[in-house]
Amino acid sequence: MQLHWDIFCRVIDNYGDIGVCWRLARQLANEHGKHVRLWLDDLNSLQPLCPAIDPARARQSCSAVEIIHWTENPRIDRVGEVVIEAFACELPVAYLEAMAQTTPTPCWINLEYLTAEAWAESCHGMASPHPSLPLTKYFYFPGFSTTTGRLLREQGLFAERDETIAQATGHHGLDISLFSYDTAPISALIETLAESSIETRLHVSPGKPLAAVAAHFGSNGPWQHGRLRVLPFAFLPQDDYDRLLWRCDINFVRGEDSFVRAQWAGKPFVWQIYRQEEDAHLVKLEAFLNRYTAGLSAVGATAVSQLFRAWNSAGDLRQAWADFIAIRSELDRYNHRWANQLAKNENLAETLVKFCAAKV
Ligand code: TRH
């Protein structure tokens, strides 16, 4: 039955670690009826995504998930039948020892970061025996192909998206959302949009993007610059952020979770990947571009690739943006198809439930 699931999450930086774990925890509880405990070392990082929680409380329930503040020496009352160690966050030793004494042995999953690289397909599901305890950890890779754990996607997401889009009141220009790291060429983007003949509203998320925009203007927003209106928004609860992506015409997203959500929006998007040492992230970026642009026209594929590269490392952003806008109608149709095609596969929560059931 595997009713009890424990998810361990350590926040390294930003919102991606908790963003993924919170989404998965809710889905396992709400769509699969699992009793989910989310062990989280930094409750303050969850609060912006889920304003209903109280970061001062050691234990609480929200959206049918039990949230436990994961402190240095946690009291282990029981272990889950499935234990998810998110992003190799290292389970507490006492918890591992308790797992080793439990029968049947819990299914232990290391949930990995998303990548479109081919090696993830061969590593997905691989077993790694613990060096001293009678436990086996399985590597679980989210991904874009059917030989991976697939992507997080809630049931009914597209129906909700389409309803929201149908109800949206029209704006005759462009609405663009901006969620990026401060290393992105944000000044170049602002100047490019300001020079455009299209009336544009740029919705800027708080934190690094807003700080970069404010530094560019040297004042506090909102700002009007040429035909560009720049509008800061307050950090939105996770489901509301989805709605913003659905309402916008183009979304700049980053990291892992917002990157996937932009794809479910079925709208054109621009991805800033999380930086890694020795530029390993650029290999990951190209792996995604290879998969994603494969069904576009040659002109479309070049335009998308050039803009993603210019946004992530170097290149002429102004020209890349002009080329991207020129293929917008192709991209509108293509991204809708891309989302539908990906959604033909099972979602990550479904594959995970099956994978763990098979390991008993
Ligand atoms: O915050 P991120 O940069 O997270 C990153 C990546 O996950 C990266 O791979 C990882 O290594 C690093 O963290 C530690 O970007 P990401 O993944 O998009 O996560 C942001 C989360 O915040 C996502 O769940 C969406 C959510 N969000 C909101 O809920 N409301 C908002 O207003 C915004 C802007 C984001």
Side-chain angles (χ1 to χ4, degrees):
M1 201 27 206
Q2 295 179 319
L3 195 59
H4 295 100
W5 289 51
D6 276 353
I7 302 177
F8 284 82
C9 175
R10 207 183 284 285
V11 176
I12 305 297
D13 62 2
N14 302 322
Y15 297 102
D17 307 287
I18 184 55
V20 167
C21 291
W22 179 234
R23 197 178 289 293
L24 175 63
R26 287 194 291 160
Q27 206 183 342
L28 287 167
N30 296 319
E31 295 179 14
H32 297 273
K34 304 297 182 190
H35 292 189
V36 183
R37 301 193 301 185
L38 174 62
W39 296 70
L40 177 62
D41 70 333
D42 176 10
L43 295 176
N44 287 311
S45 68
L46 174 58
Q47 212 260 342
L49 281 74
C50 175
I53 70 141
D54 177 356
R57 285 179 65 190
R59 274 178 191 250
Q60 59 200 299
S61 281
C62 186
S63 299
V65 174
E66 188 180 349
I67 301 156
I68 303 176
H69 187 199
W70 177 12
T71 51
E72 207 164 319
N73 291 308
R75 185 175 59 84
I76 313 295
D77 47 359
R78 60 174 169 81
V79 299
E81 289 149 280
V82 176
V83 181
I84 299 178
E85 179 181 342
F87 314 120
C89 66
E90 288 197 10
L91 299 181
V93 174
Y95 191 93
L96 272 175
E97 285 166 353
M99 276 169 73
Q101 283 161 18
T102 303
T103 315
T105 310
C107 179
W108 179 15
I109 298 287
N110 186 65
L111 179 64
E112 292 286 345
Y113 287 111
L114 169 65
T115 178
E117 291 161 292
W119 62 262
E121 297 177 340
S122 42
C123 293
H124 174 61
M126 253 170 143
S128 164
H130 189 277
S132 54
L133 296 170
L135 294 170
T136 301
K137 171 154 81 171
Y138 295 95
F139 292 98
Y140 210 83
F141 280 88
F144 297 90
S145 75
T146 51
T147 43
T148 65
R150 330 285 164 86
L151 300 169
L152 278 171
R153 174 177 43 83
E154 298 80 4
Q155 278 169 21
L157 184 72
F158 285 11
E160 203 190 324
R161 176 198 68 187
D162 294 343
E163 203 178 311
T164 305
I165 292 174
Q167 284 168 2
T169 46
H171 164 240
H172 60 272
L174 268 185
D175 273 301
I176 302 177
S177 75
L178 177 66
F179 182 46
S180 63
Y181 304 112
D182 44 12
T183 47
I186 290 177
S187 288
L189 178 71
I190 291 172
E191 291 307 319
T192 303
L193 295 177
E195 283 167 17
S196 159
S197 57
I198 311 169
E199 192 185 302
T200 304
R201 294 193 300 208
L202 182 66
H203 304 271
V204 182
S205 83
K208 289 171 184 165
L210 184 57
V213 170
H216 175 78
F217 285 111
S219 62
N220 290 326
W223 301 270
Q224 183 73 43
H225 186 30
R227 307 203 65 170
L228 172 68
R229 181 105 183 117
V230 185
L231 301 161
F233 66 86
F235 202 92
L236 298 164
Q238 208 176 30
D239 296 340
D240 289 348
Y241 178 62
D242 265 342
R243 294 186 189 102
L244 174 73
L245 297 178
W246 300 341
R247 283 195 305 268
C248 284
D249 303 295
I250 300 173
N251 295 300
F252 283 76
V253 286
R254 73 184 200 192
E256 175 159 336
D257 192 53
S258 58
F259 164 57
V260 173
R261 306 313 282 183
Q263 291 172 69
W264 296 144
K267 301 284 187 79
F269 67 94
V270 185
W271 178 36
Q272 189 180 16
I273 189 167
Y274 184 78
R275 265 184 193 223
Q276 287 174 290
E277 279 170 20
E278 293 170 8
D279 283 348
H281 60 288
L282 295 180
V283 177
K284 206 167 152 179
L285 176 70
E286 292 301 321
F288 175 71
L289 282 172
N290 272 341
R291 272 181 210 273
Y292 168 56
T293 62
L296 278 166
S297 67
V299 172
T302 304
V304 168
S305 302
Q306 297 303 352
L307 183 58
F308 276 42
R309 288 176 194 138
W311 189 241
N312 278 281
S313 48
D316 181 349
L317 188 89
R318 184 170 279 126
Q319 187 57 49
W321 179 255
D323 294 346
F324 186 83
I325 287 296
I327 55 134
R328 211 187 119 205
S329 52
E330 177 186 351
L331 265 186
D332 274 331
R333 289 191 301 276
Y334 182 73
N335 280 13
H336 215 262
R337 251 193 3 252
W338 171 255
N340 286 343
Q341 195 181 310
L342 286 177
K344 279 188 191 143
N345 298 325
E346 290 174 298
N347 63 56
L348 187 136
E350 288 169 327
T351 65
L352 195 53
V353 167
K354 282 190 188 164
F355 181 91
C356 294
K359 295 295 173 204
V360 181

